[in-house]
Amino acid sequence: MHDSMNKKQITRDQAFHAIETGEFGTDVVASHERVAVLMTQDWCSQFAAMKGWIYTLDRDFDLHELVYNLVPYFSDFRSFKENRWKNGQIPYVRYYRGGKLVAESNYVSQEEFLRNLGL
């Protein structure tokens, strides 16, 4: 038996740590052996499709989420994501194992999402 996914919201401090340093802190990327950070905007149809299965996954990992068009620092974060991480599409997912970035994706199937996490 294993624990199920643990969903967490990216805080303002965590988002600004990424903006300032180029990466989320260990409180995010190493919060669990397997971590996915999902960044999106609430109107995104591909995010809506992923929500259909992502919140029901019965797997052991942490999911950190930032719906960044709903936060006051929207333009700061979007600019960082598009310019520093060179990703202008949403949703954008970064996958970590043991605190290290192992994969990145935009919209993916459930199977590919789990594969990127090593599950």
Side-chain angles (χ1 to χ4, degrees), residues 68 73-85:
Y68 60 91
Y73 49 89
F74 165 66
S75 59
D76 291 328
F77 192 83
R78 183 186 61 195
S79 175
F80 160 73
K81 180 183 146 301
E82 292 176 358
N83 295 313
R84 181 83 177 259
W85 283 340

Side-chain angles (χ1 to χ4, degrees), residues 75-106:
S75 59
D76 291 328
F77 192 83
R78 183 186 61 195
S79 175
F80 160 73
K81 180 183 146 301
E82 292 176 358
N83 295 313
R84 181 83 177 259
W85 283 340
K86 307 287 188 231
N87 194 299
Q89 299 178 47
I90 51 174
Y92 174 47
V93 187
R94 291 171 71 85
Y95 306 86
Y96 302 87
R97 282 189 240 151
K100 304 267 189 263
L101 181 68
V102 294
E104 300 172 68
S105 74
N106 292 105

Side-chain angles (χ1 to χ4, degrees), residues 11-109:
T11 66
R12 182 189 187 285
D13 286 348
Q14 290 168 331
F16 273 93
H17 180 85
I19 291 169
E20 291 162 8
T21 67
E23 185 56 271
F24 290 106
T26 55
D27 58 328
V28 175
V29 305
S31 65
H32 188 283
E33 174 60 26
R34 300 177 198 289
V35 174
V37 180
L38 173 65
M39 296 153 279
T40 191
Q41 296 183 40
D42 66 338
W43 52 262
C44 173
S45 61
Q46 291 182 318
F47 173 55
M50 286 180 78
K51 282 197 303 189
W53 53 262
I54 202 166
Y55 299 141
T56 65
L57 290 174
D58 186 24
R59 300 296 179 93
D60 190 17
F61 72 99
D62 280 358
L63 174 67
H64 293 267
E65 186 178 283
L66 178 57
V67 182
Y68 60 91
N69 67 309
L70 301 180
V71 297
Y73 49 89
F74 165 66
S75 59
D76 291 328
F77 192 83
R78 183 186 61 195
S79 175
F80 160 73
K81 180 183 146 301
E82 292 176 358
N83 295 313
R84 181 83 177 259
W85 283 340
K86 307 287 188 231
N87 194 299
Q89 299 178 47
I90 51 174
Y92 174 47
V93 187
R94 291 171 71 85
Y95 306 86
Y96 302 87
R97 282 189 240 151
K100 304 267 189 263
L101 181 68
V102 294
E104 300 172 68
S105 74
N106 292 105
Y107 173 80
V108 289
S109 66

Side-chain angles (χ1 to χ4, degrees), residues 95-97 102-105 108 111-119:
Y95 306 86
Y96 302 87
R97 282 189 240 151
V102 294
E104 300 172 68
S105 74
V108 289
E111 294 74 23
E112 188 175 344
F113 181 88
L114 292 171
R115 191 167 41 250
N116 285 339
L117 277 173
L119 293 171

